[in-house]
């Protein structure tokens, strides 16, 4: 972690522009306890992903038990229920006898564990597990409490299932790899490395589960994959948007922007909560800037990458708020198929489409585009900082003489990342496809939408890290008599405490990595 009074833990309360946060979930902070009674929100999932302890309330445990009793009644009465006493997918009309239902549950895991590629990160898998437990706690899935408790035990122990990142059009393969561990198959990773699930369960003094009717389908079904990943995307986006304001203010100051662009009366003419909040934040960040005061009236208006910061960042914050609402609604929803409900005397089964994540897939696509646009505009500001034709500063923020390139090629990196984001931002929701012998002939690709959102966010963090370095370098080249705003000066001093000015004396990649740590490990204090 960075030792600086300027930096603080990422916010886990609603984002307030310019306000400090109250509690952290990054490494180095005491993990919280999340009590699962009512449905969890995305902030709860993010806390658990980063180490908070998940505790099932007595009420949640009772709901899980009741749903299991409903499944047992469905089996006993031979009420047709998808994946309970029938096959799955295109085999939904093939009846499965009671004696074969355990085999069906096990075989579902084996055939659905088809993931490929590098494993998900530890916190990503933890988020998915937390979202799955949340879904089961609604009391509409019908898995045994024993199964849910084992998932919680895995979270507590730090033995996290190894889950390949790719291979899902919706939700199946990721959860299948998680569920393999419950039956002693597959692999887990912990602080000591990689080990077999069978050995991990032995070390936890737990026997592998024998899955009962419906459990094989329930543990691969629903939208825990996308809701877990989306919760992490929201947490990272929240922090990134705070940094975006702060870093863009530094660039605006270095380029001697016209403060009228952030005038409250002017911005109030456009109705947007995000725009108003960003405008207020920028005014606060740039208050008492000698550089801005000396630049008053220098030009009629600044280029769009400077004067539209409130509009673009504000629009992204509005998208963020909408996406957060969608994710919380998804977490509050039952997303299993089939859903069990009713009473023991009159159990009901809905073998319909609650597992389809259309709304959250669209939300993730929207968040991806918003973050990509904010980052694209940051690259335009980086270009202005390094271009002597518009910056009024030495070319590429480099030492004179022609032997130094300074930040010339760092801007190339930012341009490359913007282009990569542009490719990634194509909506996953429109990918479509047909699976399972025409039975599943519309696909929303919600989990892939969340995965690419996380990749776009990571690229945006890198782009803003480059802008942060360039802005700090630009401050070094400003005339000494022009003073920075107190708050941008605090950021500058914090950067310089860890990263010295660049003189083409070392690989610039190391500085970029250090700046990425600034952006990723903590949020700005104001």
């Amino acid at each position: 972690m960075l030792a600086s009074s300027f930096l603080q833990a990422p916010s886990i309360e609603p984002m307030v522009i310019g306000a400090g946060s109250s509690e952290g979930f990054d490494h180095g902070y005491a993990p919280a306890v999340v009590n699962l009674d009512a449905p969890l929100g995305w902030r709860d999932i993010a806390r658990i992903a980063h180490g908070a302890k998940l505790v099932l309330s007595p009420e949640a445990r009772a709901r899980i038990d009741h749903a299991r009793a409903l499944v047992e009644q469905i089996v006993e009465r031979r009420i047709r229920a998808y994946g309970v006493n029938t096959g799955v997918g295109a085999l939904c009309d093939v009846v499965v006898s009671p004696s074969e239902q355990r085999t069906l549950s096990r075989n579902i895991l084996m055939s659905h564990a088809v993931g490929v590629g590098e494993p998900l990160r530890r916190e990503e898998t933890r988020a998915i597990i937390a979202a799955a437990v949340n879904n089961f706690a609604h009391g509409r899935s019908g898995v045994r409490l024993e199964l849910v408790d084992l998932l919680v035990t895995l979270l507590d122990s730090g033995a996290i299932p190894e889950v390949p990142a790719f291979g899902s059009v919706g939700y199946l393969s990721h959860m299948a790899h998680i569920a393999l561990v419950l039956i002693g198959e597959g692999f887990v990773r912990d602080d000591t490395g990689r080990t077999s699930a069978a050995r991990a369960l032995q070390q936890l003094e737990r026997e592998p589960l024998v899955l009962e009717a419906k459990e094989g389908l329930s543990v691969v079904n629903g939208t825990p994959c996308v809701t877990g990943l989306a919760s992490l995307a929201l947490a990272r986006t929240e922090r990134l948007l705070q940094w975006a304001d702060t870093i863009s203010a530094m660039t605006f100051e270095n380029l001697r922007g016209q403060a009228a662009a952030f005038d409250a009366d002017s911005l109030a003419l456009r109705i947007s909560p995000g725009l108003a909040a960003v405008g207020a934040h920028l005014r606060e960040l740039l208050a008492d800037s000698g550089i801005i005061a000396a630049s008053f009236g220098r030009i009629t208006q600044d280029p769009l990458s400077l004067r539209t910061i409130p509009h673009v960042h504000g629009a992204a914050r509005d998208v963020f708020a909408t996406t957060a609402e969608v994710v919380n609604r998804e977490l509050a929803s039952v997303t299993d198929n089939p859903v069990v409900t009713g009473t023991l005397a009159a159990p009901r089964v809905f073998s319909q489409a609650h597992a389809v994540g259309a709304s959250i897939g669209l939300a993730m696509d929207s968040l991806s585009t918003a973050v990509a646009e904010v980052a694209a505009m940051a690259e335009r500001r980086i270009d202005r900082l390094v271009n002597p034709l518009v910056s009024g500063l030495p070319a590429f923020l480099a030492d004179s003489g022609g032997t130094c390139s300074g930040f010339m090629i760092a801007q190339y990196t930012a341009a490359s990342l913007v282009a990569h984001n542009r490719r990634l931002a194509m909506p996953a929701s429109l990918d479509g496809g047909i699976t399972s012998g025409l039975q599943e002939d519309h696909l929303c690709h919600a989990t892939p939408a969340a995965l690419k959102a996380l990749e776009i966010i990571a690229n945006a963090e890198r782009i803003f890290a480059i802008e942060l370095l360039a802005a700090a370098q630009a401050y070094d080249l400003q005339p000494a008599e022009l003073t920075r705003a107190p708050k941008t000066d605090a950021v500058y001093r914090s950067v310089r405490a860890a990263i010295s000015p660049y003189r083409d004396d070392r690989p610039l990649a190391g500085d970029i990595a250090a700046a990425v740590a600034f952006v990723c490990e903590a949020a700005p204090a104001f």
Side-chain angles (χ1 to χ4, degrees), residues 60-75 81-85 105 129-145 147-148 151 175 212-224 330-342 347-351 354-355:
R61 300 173 77 85
R63 290 193 297 269
I64 293 169
D65 272 337
H66 176 69
R68 183 63 209 171
L70 290 174
V71 170
E72 291 170 356
Q73 285 297 306
I74 289 165
V75 171
Y82 173 74
V84 179
N85 44 33
S105 279
I129 294 173
V133 172
N134 174 75
N135 194 38
F136 297 145
H138 291 310
R140 295 287 183 263
S141 295
V143 299
R144 288 168 295 162
L145 186 57
L147 183 152
V148 182
L151 285 172
M175 280 303 302
E212 300 290 349
K214 193 181 185 298
E215 289 185 322
L217 182 57
S218 287
V219 292
V220 302
N221 224 329
T223 61
E330 195 76 8
L331 288 165
S333 299
V334 176
T335 65
D336 209 333
N337 178 32
V339 172
V340 297
T341 186
R348 301 184 68 191
V349 181
F350 298 112
S351 299
H354 292 300

Side-chain angles (χ1 to χ4, degrees), residues 373-503:
E373 181 174 358
V374 168
M377 194 166 73
E379 184 274 329
R380 291 291 77 214
R381 290 192 299 270
I382 295 168
D383 183 62
R384 299 193 76 83
L385 281 171
V386 304
N387 187 339
L389 298 178
V390 293
S391 71
L393 298 168
F396 308 112
L397 307 176
D399 285 344
S400 60
T403 62
C404 294
S405 298
F407 281 77
M408 178 193 295
I409 309 303
Q411 185 264 327
Y412 285 37
T413 299
S416 173
L417 293 170
V418 167
H420 188 200
N421 277 353
R422 187 179 300 114
R423 293 187 288 268
L424 288 170
M426 292 293 291
S429 302
L430 292 179
D431 284 347
I434 300 171
T435 58
S436 195
L438 297 180
Q439 179 68 10
E440 296 172 0
D441 57 355
H442 177 74
L443 305 174
C444 296
H445 296 274
T447 298
L451 285 169
K452 71 185 186 66
L454 288 167
E455 190 172 355
I456 286 171
I457 293 163
N459 286 336
E461 290 164 346
R462 297 173 183 125
I463 292 165
F464 275 104
I466 293 170
E467 185 181 5
L468 177 63
L469 287 177
Q473 187 90 350
Y475 280 138
D476 294 328
L477 300 171
Q478 295 288 352
E481 66 273 14
L482 294 180
T483 58
R484 296 178 286 272
K487 291 187 174 178
T488 57
D489 181 65
V491 186
Y492 164 77
R493 292 180 183 279
S494 185
V495 173
R496 282 290 171 255
I499 306 170
S500 61
Y502 188 66
R503 299 287 183 261

Side-chain angles (χ1 to χ4, degrees), residues 288-308:
D288 302 319
S289 166
I291 299 175
I292 296 297
S295 304
F296 177 77
R298 182 175 62 92
I299 57 175
T300 302
Q301 62 176 209
D302 293 305
L304 285 170
S305 61
L306 297 178
R307 60 187 160 97
T308 65

Side-chain angles (χ1 to χ4, degrees), residues 56 87 89 360 364 428 440 477:
L56 284 170
I360 194 169
M364 284 293 97
E440 296 172 0
L477 300 171

Side-chain angles (χ1 to χ4, degrees), residues 1 26-30:
M1 295 292 291
D26 261 337
H27 299 298
Y29 293 88

Side-chain angles (χ1 to χ4, degrees), residues 103-281:
T103 301
L104 172 62
S105 279
R106 181 179 177 86
N107 288 353
I108 286 173
L109 296 196
M110 297 302 180
S111 65
H112 287 52
V114 294
V116 296
E118 292 298 312
L120 294 177
R121 296 169 61 184
R122 180 182 185 85
E123 64 269 22
E124 292 166 350
T125 302
R126 286 182 62 90
I128 292 172
I129 294 173
V133 172
N134 174 75
N135 194 38
F136 297 145
H138 291 310
R140 295 287 183 263
S141 295
V143 299
R144 288 168 295 162
L145 186 57
E146 179 183 2
L147 183 152
V148 182
D149 279 336
L150 185 50
L151 285 172
V152 174
T153 297
L154 292 177
L155 289 174
D156 289 343
S157 70
I160 302 304
E162 183 178 276
V163 181
F166 302 108
S168 176
V169 297
Y171 41 76
L172 299 172
S173 67
H174 296 84
M175 280 303 302
H177 283 276
I178 290 171
L180 282 178
V181 175
L182 304 180
I183 63 172
E185 301 286 347
F187 296 91
V188 301
R189 291 177 181 265
D190 58 19
D191 293 338
T192 64
R194 183 180 192 250
T195 189
S196 70
R199 179 174 174 79
L201 291 179
Q202 186 179 39
Q203 291 173 339
L204 292 171
E205 300 182 350
R206 297 294 295 267
E207 291 293 324
L209 295 180
V210 176
L211 298 183
E212 300 290 349
K214 193 181 185 298
E215 289 185 322
L217 182 57
S218 287
V219 292
V220 302
N221 224 329
T223 61
C225 299
V226 61
T227 49
L229 297 172
S231 296
L232 289 177
L234 286 169
R236 289 172 65 180
T237 300
E238 182 175 59
R239 178 176 60 233
L240 179 67
L241 291 177
Q242 291 173 313
W243 271 113
D245 290 354
T246 299
I247 295 169
S248 64
M250 296 169 70
T251 299
F252 186 91
E253 190 174 31
N254 270 300
L255 295 175
R256 305 186 187 187
Q258 297 302 297
F262 309 145
D263 181 83
D265 290 338
S266 173
L267 295 181
L269 297 173
R270 179 176 282 275
I271 307 304
S272 162
L275 183 151
V278 173
H281 193 197

